[in-house]
Amino acid sequence: MKKIILALAFLALPTLSLASGGEGYPLLTAPIDPHNHASLQRGAKLFVNYCMGCHSLEYQRYNRMAHDIGLTDEQVKENLIFTGAKVGDTMKNAMIKSEAKHWFGVTPPDLSLIARSRGNDYLYTYLLTFYQDPSRPFGVNNAAFPNAGMPHVMWDLQGMQKPIYETHKGTNGEETKTLVGFELSQPGSMSPPQFKEAMADLVNFLAYVGEPIKLERQRIGIWVLLFLGLAFVVFYLLKKEYWKDVH
């Protein structure tokens, strides 16, 4: 029994780690809605305009995305493909990985599975919590991922925000600072509520990319459960009929 409890505890550790963010900053809840095609389309637009210069989606094809989020191939060609890629190609970028590592200190990862590996709430919090930090190479830091190598590529939308700290005294009199929020120091082209909605759209899109078959899986799952429920009734009645004359 103890071994079973320990095994379950170890299985829960990754989930607990994601729930806490792993860095001490509380995660915000991402308003994900895979049924909202308009949100997915806006998220796709944000990704190709702001993220795809560095990050690819090597396991996602343009035409599969178009079909799933309510776009035609022509709409994808006109609005989401800015290179010589074909609509049936995967969503790769032209950045040379060795040069990217030289510029940023690390090769920007492919984001096909980032929502599944890190969690939607983590991504949402990460995108909303860039703040000014003159000590960092790009002048910004991040509350969800301290000392991240990524610049704040959407600063023109959000603007720049400065951190708000609370000072706490320990039992030994030592003072520690805790990051508790942000204050907008330079407005962007979007208001804070508008930027939050935009980041929710972007995370919604990345969540879809991480599992494009999710809605279909859920639809099939409902029918499977209904079939199993009906089969249980049939098998139960058959069992009663078979055993009624057995003494």
Side-chain angles (χ1 to χ4, degrees):
M1 186 64 181
K2 289 183 178 179
K3 290 182 178 180
I4 295 175
I5 294 174
L6 285 173
L8 292 174
F10 279 116
L11 287 173
L13 283 176
T15 305
L16 293 173
S17 176
L18 286 177
S20 65
E23 304 293 348
Y25 190 83
L27 296 186
L28 306 171
T29 302
I32 300 302
D33 181 6
H35 297 89
N36 190 337
H37 281 185
S39 171
L40 292 170
Q41 291 167 15
R42 292 192 298 267
K45 181 180 178 181
L46 282 168
F47 182 86
V48 298
N49 279 281
Y50 286 92
C51 308
M52 203 167 173
C54 297
H55 299 282
S56 59
L57 298 175
E58 295 186 2
Y59 302 105
Q60 178 68 56
R61 295 187 182 278
Y62 286 102
N63 55 356
R64 169 61 191 271
M65 173 192 66
H67 175 268
D68 288 344
I69 68 175
L71 297 173
T72 65
D73 288 353
E74 288 302 318
Q75 288 174 321
V76 170
K77 289 178 184 178
E78 293 176 6
N79 300 288
L80 299 178
I81 298 179
F82 306 129
T83 63
K86 298 179 180 179
V87 74
D89 292 343
T90 55
M91 299 177 68
K92 297 180 180 179
N93 59 19
M95 178 174 284
I96 300 172
K97 292 183 178 180
S98 58
E99 292 185 0
K101 187 173 182 179
H102 173 71
W103 296 332
F104 302 110
V106 63
T107 303
D110 178 84
L111 298 184
S112 300
L113 300 175
I114 190 66
R116 296 185 67 177
S117 64
R118 298 307 302 264
N120 299 329
D121 292 348
Y122 171 85
L123 287 180
Y124 186 57
T125 306
Y126 176 76
L127 292 168
L128 290 174
T129 57
F130 280 94
Y131 63 90
Q132 291 173 308
D133 183 352
S135 68
R136 298 296 299 155
F138 295 106
V140 292
N141 211 325
N142 190 276
F145 187 0
N147 301 325
M150 176 178 156
H152 187 14
V153 295
M154 285 176 277
W155 68 270
D156 61 319
L157 301 180
Q158 183 185 28
M160 297 299 291
Q161 53 187 6
K162 59 183 181 180
I164 300 174
Y165 294 98
E166 281 186 356
T167 303
H168 303 276
K169 280 190 177 182
T171 55
N172 57 356
E174 183 180 354
E175 292 186 349
T176 58
K177 287 185 177 182
T178 303
L179 180 62
V180 295
F182 307 94
E183 180 183 346
L184 194 65
S185 58
Q186 178 184 336
S189 60
M190 291 182 173
S191 66
Q194 288 173 333
F195 186 73
K196 282 186 176 181
E197 183 178 359
M199 294 306 97
D201 293 336
L202 179 54
V203 174
N204 199 23
F205 173 70
L206 290 173
Y208 149 75
V209 171
E211 192 177 2
I213 200 69
K214 181 178 181 179
L215 293 181
E216 182 68 10
R217 172 176 60 78
Q218 292 176 341
R219 185 187 68 81
I220 294 174
I222 292 172
W223 286 106
V224 169
L225 291 175
L226 290 173
F227 170 79
L228 291 175
L230 178 61
F232 173 81
V233 174
V234 173
F235 294 153
Y236 177 74
L237 294 176
L238 182 63
K239 174 255 184 189
K240 287 187 66 177
E241 180 67 24
Y242 181 81
W243 287 98
K244 70 179 183 179
D245 297 324
V246 178
H247 300 287

